[in-house]
Amino acid sequence: MSNNYGDWLKEQREAAGLTQQQLAEVAVMTRTHIAHIEAGRRVPSGEDARRLDKALNTGNVLSRFLPQQDVAVADYFEAARQLEQQAVMIREFALSFVPGILQTERYARAVLGTSFPPVGEKECDRLVVTRLERSKILDDPVMPVVWALLDEAVLRRVVGGRDVMAEQIMHMVRLAEKGRVRIHVLPFDLGFHSLMDGMLTLMQFEDQPPVAYSEGTRMGALHDSPPVVQELCGRYDLALSDALPLRESLALLRALAKDNGHHD
């Protein structure tokens, strides 16, 4: 996005004689989030903008001129999407589909374009663009740290055709080979495991408590209660302890890509 908004926020903050941390305390936000807004990496929510206006005595300027985003996600996922962009560590568990931030364009289109009732081509394009925008957090070579724990069903079920599936699997292999993402597979022969209820995302931040996001059919929930987050982290750790090691997981991915027609 254009950084005019972030530049203006920085000018108003400095004119008020406030550091990022001081503004964060007055506006009940995190310093990291304000730094991201000023750098043009994040767009504040409407509530964030209202708090910033109040903290800086700027009337409704920051709220009124809030940059518009053409973001197409389910309402229940929006809060998690914003937090995902701020996390320093993301741990994903996928039961049915490849996690969104790891999806290729063709795989994402296959997933998003087969909903019922069906969506039009224009709407599908919007959904795909939003999903690919999410994956740009991986453009940074270091942050966030990403762990992907995949049920074997994610890899065995062919989505979009064998060539699409081969491309998707090799995309994950390359990310892992670069050290950008760690991938572990929970094999079928393990039987029952602690995360079979549905997908789960765990997020950690630089200067705020961790959160968890769980999702089922047409519903999602963001969890910030410390006991609940701790319980979900425990479930994740237990499942991870039963997963294949990284090397064996990547060997399985390469074999499945080959089964789907990939050739080195």
Side-chain angles (χ1 to χ4, degrees), residues 1 5-6 8-9 12 23-24 26-30 33-34 37-38 42-69 82 86:
M1 72 180 193
Y5 188 93
W8 194 84
L9 171 61
Q12 298 306 306
L23 176 58
V26 176
V28 195
M29 297 169 64
T30 68
H33 192 35
I34 289 175
I37 296 169
E38 290 187 354
R42 305 283 185 270
V43 173
S45 67
E47 180 59 29
D48 287 342
R50 285 189 287 274
R51 288 201 295 265
L52 288 169
D53 272 327
K54 183 176 180 181
L56 294 170
N57 295 315
T58 49
N60 68 346
V61 176
L62 288 163
S63 302
R64 182 177 179 184
F65 294 102
L66 192 63
Q68 298 299 308
Q69 299 186 93
Q82 293 188 24
Q86 303 170 42

Side-chain angles (χ1 to χ4, degrees), residues 122-191:
K122 185 175 181 180
E123 179 61 16
C124 185
D125 287 343
R126 291 182 66 241
L127 292 167
V128 171
V129 167
T130 295
R131 186 150 296 184
L132 296 178
E133 283 292 319
R134 287 174 54 206
S135 70
K136 288 185 177 180
I137 60 176
L138 301 179
D139 290 347
D140 186 297
V142 178
M143 301 297 288
V145 174
V146 176
W147 292 66
L149 181 58
L150 309 177
D151 192 283
E152 190 172 343
V154 174
L155 307 171
R156 295 283 184 183
R157 180 173 291 111
V158 176
V159 174
R162 293 195 175 280
D163 59 331
V164 171
M165 202 66 200
E167 177 186 60
Q168 174 63 70
I169 292 173
M170 288 308 300
H171 173 64
M172 292 189 289
V173 169
R174 293 185 188 103
L175 286 172
E177 288 176 338
K178 292 178 182 176
R180 186 62 190 81
V181 178
R182 289 189 65 90
I183 295 177
H184 297 272
V185 178
L186 283 164
F188 281 145
D189 61 12
L190 173 64

